[in-house]
Amino acid sequence: MKLASVLTPLSDENLTLAAQCGVDEVVARYPGPDLTLLDGVKARIESYGMRLGVVEGFLPIERIKLGHDDGTEMDQMKALARHLGEIGVPLICYNFMAGTDWIRTSVDALERGGAKVTAFDLNDLESARIPGREPFRASLEPGATREQLWTNLEAFLTEIIPVAEDAGVVLAMHPDDPPLPSLLGNDRVMHCVDGFERLVGLVPSPSNAIAFCQGTFSEMGIDIPAAIRQFGNHIAYVHFRDVTGTAESFIETWQDTGHTDMAEAMRAYREVGFDGPIRPDHVPQLVGEDDGEPGYTMLGRLFAFGYIRGLLDATDL
């Protein structure tokens, strides 16, 4: 497995800290249609002895989800896949949440030692927001139905997967976060295990894969190690985080205080032969980091790097 991380910001200090902690791969955001920007990001990461391994976030896919794309977004996604193949970046992580991205209703719930973490409570949905960005606003085009989403997803995969295969790139689907069957006027389809089983069957291919976000799957109330074993080689990417609570009401925790037997989860990844990138994803916000992006500050990430590296070593038998 490859220890990976988003670095926010992608500063010299954060790159140095990640390299010192043994991070193998860095995750970058989609830079927009000018894909040559990724070349510069890749070179900068490599100058610190790491690799650019994943593009995740801010993808041109929102109108595709709703079935309103005029071909512009599809062309941009195909161009991204081809470009990543050319520069040797093997993975795109995307989601199919119509009208929003991952959302929380609080970014300052208190966890161990007063660390601030993000939280979600369905009863407080009017305060929903995307952490680190402008306060959340409902989609301008709400009302996507489950049937429409499945139709749009199959059409997207049918067109993009052959391009990804040719480029040697994998598309890994992230679950709906939170994993609720509907939210803010839109249905959702990636909120349960059955949805992911259907996903990989829509267009069977090694390029059509799963981003196994442990925290979100844990909110579904399932056994995480069992789900890892069930999905097996369909898992291409891991967000190694945890929560306490349910899809309707949860807080994000330290990696060692949530629902999941994290050591057994790591053993399960070993058993199924997973060798892709595994990253902390969201982490607590520690003392002195109040100006940082909730879930993406650095001190909690350093704790997570050590925790994950320890489990990797302990299960490498």
Side-chain angles (χ1 to χ4, degrees):
M1 281 174 260
K2 306 171 187 72
L3 181 58
S5 184
V6 167
L7 298 176
T8 307
L10 191 69
S11 63
D12 291 341
E13 179 178 348
N14 285 346
L15 284 161
T16 299
L17 287 169
Q20 290 174 342
C21 290
V23 170
D24 302 299
E25 295 188 350
V26 175
V27 179
R29 307 300 193 193
Y30 175 70
D34 183 2
L35 296 175
T36 61
L37 295 173
L38 284 174
D39 301 355
V41 171
K42 178 175 181 286
R44 187 172 178 217
I45 291 167
E46 289 175 347
S47 73
Y48 286 85
M50 299 175 289
R51 298 181 297 276
L52 173 59
V54 185
V55 170
E56 175 180 0
F58 306 111
L59 294 168
I61 195 174
E62 299 309 312
R63 297 188 70 80
I64 289 173
K65 296 174 187 178
L66 294 164
H68 296 162
D69 182 35
D70 62 3
T72 300
E73 287 190 342
M74 183 63 75
D75 287 346
Q76 290 175 344
M77 288 297 295
K78 288 179 179 178
L80 174 62
R82 293 188 184 104
H83 189 76
L84 293 184
E86 291 168 1
I87 66 174
V89 178
L91 200 147
I92 299 169
C93 179
Y94 72 112
N95 69 67
F96 225 70
M97 290 179 272
T100 183
D101 203 309
W102 66 285
I103 65 171
R104 298 292 183 265
T105 55
S106 172
V107 296
D108 56 2
L110 299 182
E111 243 280 354
R112 185 172 63 202
K116 296 178 182 179
V117 297
T118 68
F120 178 84
D121 193 313
L122 191 58
N123 293 322
D124 298 328
L125 196 55
E126 68 277 3
S127 62
R129 60 179 295 190
I130 302 172
R133 308 183 207 173
E134 293 297 315
F136 178 77
R137 294 178 179 85
S139 168
L140 296 176
E141 301 171 286
T145 68
R146 188 157 292 105
E147 293 75 15
Q148 289 169 338
L149 288 170
W150 278 117
T151 296
N152 298 341
L153 177 56
E154 183 171 12
F156 169 67
L157 292 175
T158 298
E159 193 161 346
I160 193 71
I161 291 300
V163 176
E165 289 175 339
D166 289 344
V169 170
V170 172
L171 273 76
M173 172 73 83
H174 189 286
D176 301 330
D177 184 4
L180 296 167
S182 62
L183 190 68
L184 295 166
N186 292 287
D187 283 342
R188 306 179 119 189
V189 293
M190 292 291 111
H191 62 90
C192 61
V193 168
D194 288 348
F196 280 86
E197 292 285 7
R198 183 172 175 179
L199 165 76
V200 296
L202 285 178
V203 181
S205 167
S207 289
N208 178 22
I210 295 169
F212 194 86
C213 178
Q214 289 187 185
T216 313
F217 276 100
S218 179
E219 291 154 23
M220 299 177 195
I222 64 173
D223 182 296
I224 293 300
I228 294 166
R229 294 180 174 105
Q230 176 179 344
F231 288 132
N233 62 11
H234 292 298
I235 298 173
Y237 182 36
V238 171
H239 286 182
F240 200 78
R241 68 176 179 92
D242 208 1
V243 301
T244 57
T246 65
E248 291 78 17
S249 180
F250 63 85
I251 66 167
E252 299 198 82
T253 65
W254 297 89
Q255 276 80 6
D256 62 336
T257 59
H259 292 155
T260 303
D261 184 334
M262 299 296 251
E264 187 61 22
M266 196 66 81
R267 293 187 192 99
Y269 292 125
R270 296 281 190 194
E271 288 176 22
V272 301
F274 174 71
D275 62 357
I278 180 169
R279 79 170 178 91
D281 200 21
H282 311 145
V283 295
Q285 196 167 5
L286 274 60
V287 61
E289 296 186 305
D290 287 346
D291 292 335
E293 180 180 346
Y296 288 99
T297 47
M298 199 63 185
L299 295 181
R301 203 161 299 281
L302 301 182
F303 171 89
F305 293 156
Y307 187 81
I308 294 171
R309 180 66 71 190
L311 287 179
L312 286 170
D313 289 346
T315 56
D316 187 16
L317 303 176

